[in-house]
Amino acid sequence: MFKREFKVNLKSLIIWLLTIVIIYIISFIIYPILIENKESIISFINTLPTEIINIFNSSKINISSVSNWLVTLKYLFINLLACLYFSFMGSSILTLEDNTITFLLSKPISRNKIMTSKLLVGITYIIIFNLVIFLTTLIGLKLTNNFVLEFWLIDLIQCLLINLFFLILSMLISNYIKNVKKSTSLNITIIFITYFISIISLINEKVEFLKYFSLFEYINNKLNILYLVIIIFSIIIELIILYKGYNKREL
Amino acid sequence: MLKINNLTKYYNNAKAIENINIELTKGEIFGLIGPNGSGKNTIIKCILNLVKKSQGTIYLDDNLIDSKNYLYKEHIGYLPCRINLYGDLTVEQMLKYSASFYKKDLSNRINELISLFELDVNKKIDELSYGNLKKVGIVISLMHEPKLLILEEPTNGLDPLMCDKLFNLLLKEKKKGTTILYSTHNLKEIKKLCDRVGIVKNGNLIETINTNEIIENLNTITIKSKCVKQMNLPLKEMHIKSMKDDEVTFIYKGNINKILIIINKYKIDKLLIEEPTVEEILINYYKRK
């Protein structure tokens, strides 16, 4: 079952990965141009009001080194894209099976095993996805002698956990909302709300506590035990609800 | 072999089936008839644990079927009414995938069934006609030689030749001891295959009878005569299907001679005595219950 599920989703994984790797390669290519115009870019950013800078998460833009430039890129696009991809995947992995689930459940196989197979495929994809990005970063930064292993390893672990959180969340939503369009819309909405919560928490110190509700804030390349505990605890809760819900699901 | 006791299922507060009691013996073919939405499918879903029963027990070979138990499905073959398989796989891949859920080697049996139903194994599931998809579904349900075979309208989409092949195969399986739960709207199939029939109405099993009893003394009669309204027909024993100025069609349960004696006094333009359809049988039983 794992093999079949793995094959079914492979094409989309390759497309998303290729897109992100191309973005990475382009970012390496354009970095020297950015550096040439560094002063004018920084002065332009400085002319913007703080609120605008925060809304576009521009406070995190740092082009002082190629490594910082990649971090910026990851904060602004890659993490968001990755979360969106795994959210789509989690949603489709269950809803696409809706038609064929009668076939599966008429076989001597438990619902837990079906769910575990799907989850394992998702986890394998998350690992492949993040490893490819990690290796691309490693190669790129090694070439420019900018690679700091510890920094990017923390980033890798944080991304794995956040992607897993969104994958399970979208599977959970799809378990209750059978309509693909509705469940996908809800998933996207949640991701963007979380993304903007992280921005709002930056704008105003009074609502700084909101950062705990935005998982995007958790990807900050710093080892934060509290964040780690929160995310792992959330994933465990999600898993319990997912398995319980799937076992109770009526077809 | 299969014992269903007081099976009840409510979806939220809506009743789907209530107090269903069925007992099937080894090698029996049991027909399940009833209009759409009567609860036939819910009974099957409960047996397969696709939905959780609200009350009651189901035993397969004296083993209780509950939500935690799934290994009993090794002994069940199921052909749903609407077949949904993996469109990206070829027939061969689909059959192999289905066989992978069972412990024993099924390759010989699969090859036998493939040649019996003349399946092109290299075609993709998505490219199959409805009839061929049905054949794949039949092979999947039979490949592991189940003790209990559940079939929902298996002949839908099959040509007459394939229907005959299927009937012969099912009768062969019956001889081998396979118990078959056969849900259909087709009377000919019931007559040909089933030992007993259960009639389901509004979620209740209103009657379980031997197949030969179901159509005994039950006929659909059409009389065309200018005097049709003057005839003293036994209205209480009949269910009028249609009535025009000079023509009446009704379902009659009883001795046909009684009608012939009544109409003998009048000039008859047309007299048609037909075997009832499943729907007409249902109407007759529903009227009585």
Side-chain angles (χ1 to χ4, degrees), chain B residues 28-39:
Chain B
E28 181 181 14
I29 304 184
F30 186 87
L32 210 50
I33 58 172
N36 296 331
S38 59

Side-chain angles (χ1 to χ4, degrees), chain A residues 97 99 105 247 250-251, chain B residues 9 45 52 73 84 86:
Chain A
E97 190 72 83
N99 294 328
L105 288 179
N247 271 297
E250 305 221 296
L251 303 158
Chain B
K9 171 68 190 170
K45 280 182 170 179
K52 291 211 165 47
K73 291 181 189 173
N84 280 304
Y86 300 103

